[in-house]
Amino acid sequence: GENVEQHPSTLSVQEGDSAVIKCTYSDSASNYFPWYKQELGKGPQLIIDIRSNVGEKKDQRIAVTLNKTAKHFSLHITETQPEDSAVYFCAAPPLGGKLIFGQGTELSVKP
Amino acid sequence: DTAVSQTPKYLVTQMGNDKSIKCEQNLGHDTMYWYKQDSKKFLKIMFSYNNKELIINETVPNRFSPKSPDKAHLNLHINSLELGDSAVYFCASSQRSGANVLTFGAGSRLTVL
């Protein structure tokens, strides 16, 4: 079955710096890779996703890149702001209906 | 309007008690889920219902019993609560089974003393 590994588990950056979170997956048939952001006291929310026919996707300050050969995908946040502080989860496509989440990365942006 | 709403938001109870968490979605989605988030933030699926039918039942103690009276509601009843049940429980929904985009509720924090 699918296995998703996410690193790092915690990340602390200065405001204005970039942050990168990486995930690896095991099932080469996987074709959809979402990223969720969980703010304190709230549920996870989809922020960006990418399909396997695309190598990169950008939405303002966030971008996701995909390397299908190496079976990893990354979330890039540029010009970080304090409101980017949250827990970020990558996920792999539903396996039998189950979306498999990575272990989460707690991002802290220091002003 | 809240898309996925769950109640209560906080629940503090004694070991051995029985408690329920309720969830409702107004998105018209066919599929609903319960996820458990432990103290290390790990999100693990527990159950999934599609149009009131159970389609995913992970290795969860049978003290946990989900119920879906209609496709807009999914409740979670927990019997004989144990300390290890303390966690945040998230309800989520998706347009259909196997759909990639999940919409989560705000979570219900259960503390068992």
Side-chain angles (χ1 to χ4, degrees), chain A residues 32 34 36 38 40-46 49 51 87 89 93-94 96-99 101-103 106, chain B residues 9 33 35 37 40-43 45 48 55-56 58 90 97-107:
Chain A
Y32 172 76
Y36 284 75
Q38 184 179 14
L40 195 61
K42 297 184 179 179
Q45 183 177 14
L46 180 72
D49 54 19
R51 298 203 175 268
V87 180
F89 293 94
K98 296 184 293 185
L99 193 63
F101 285 93
Q103 296 88 340
E106 187 163 1
Chain B
K9 190 166 175 63
Y33 310 80
Y35 277 83
Q37 186 171 50
K40 295 183 179 178
K41 305 292 185 186
F42 186 61
L43 274 167
I45 191 167
S48 175
I55 56 170
I56 294 174
E58 288 295 281
F90 285 99
S97 174
N100 299 314
V101 181
L102 265 58
T103 302
F104 283 85

Side-chain angles (χ1 to χ4, degrees), chain B residues 3 5 7 10 20-21 29-30 32 41 52 54 57 60-61 70 74 90 93 99 101:
Chain B
S5 58
T7 56
Y10 300 99
S20 292
I21 307 171
H29 287 171
D30 285 345
M32 296 184 72
K41 305 292 185 186
K52 303 191 296 178
L54 180 66
N57 185 352
V60 177
D70 55 63
L74 179 61
F90 285 99
S93 71
V101 181

Side-chain angles (χ1 to χ4, degrees), chain A residues 2-7 22-26 70-73 90 92:
Chain A
E2 180 69 276
N3 187 40
V4 180
E5 296 287 331
Q6 180 174 348
H7 299 280
K22 296 182 179 180
C23 283
T24 59
Y25 60 96
S26 57
K71 291 195 280 188
H72 67 71
F73 57 111
C90 63

Side-chain angles (χ1 to χ4, degrees), chain B residues 18-19 46-47 54 57-67 76-82 85:
Chain B
D18 304 337
K19 290 294 177 186
M46 301 173 68
F47 302 103
L54 180 66
N57 185 352
E58 288 295 281
T59 308
V60 177
N62 57 15
R63 298 181 294 105
F64 290 78
S65 51
K67 279 193 173 53
L76 183 65
H77 187 75
I78 316 170
N79 288 328
S80 304
L81 280 156
E82 300 177 358
D85 297 332

Side-chain angles (χ1 to χ4, degrees), chain B residues 2-4 24-30 72 93-95 102-104:
Chain B
T2 305
V4 180
E24 176 182 3
Q25 55 97 1
N26 63 5
L27 297 166
H29 287 171
D30 285 345
S93 71
S94 64
Q95 200 164 18
L102 265 58
T103 302
F104 283 85

Side-chain angles (χ1 to χ4, degrees), chain A residues 70-82:
Chain A
K71 291 195 280 188
H72 67 71
F73 57 111
S74 300
L75 178 70
H76 304 254
I77 307 174
T78 57
E79 300 171 37
T80 53
Q81 300 168 4

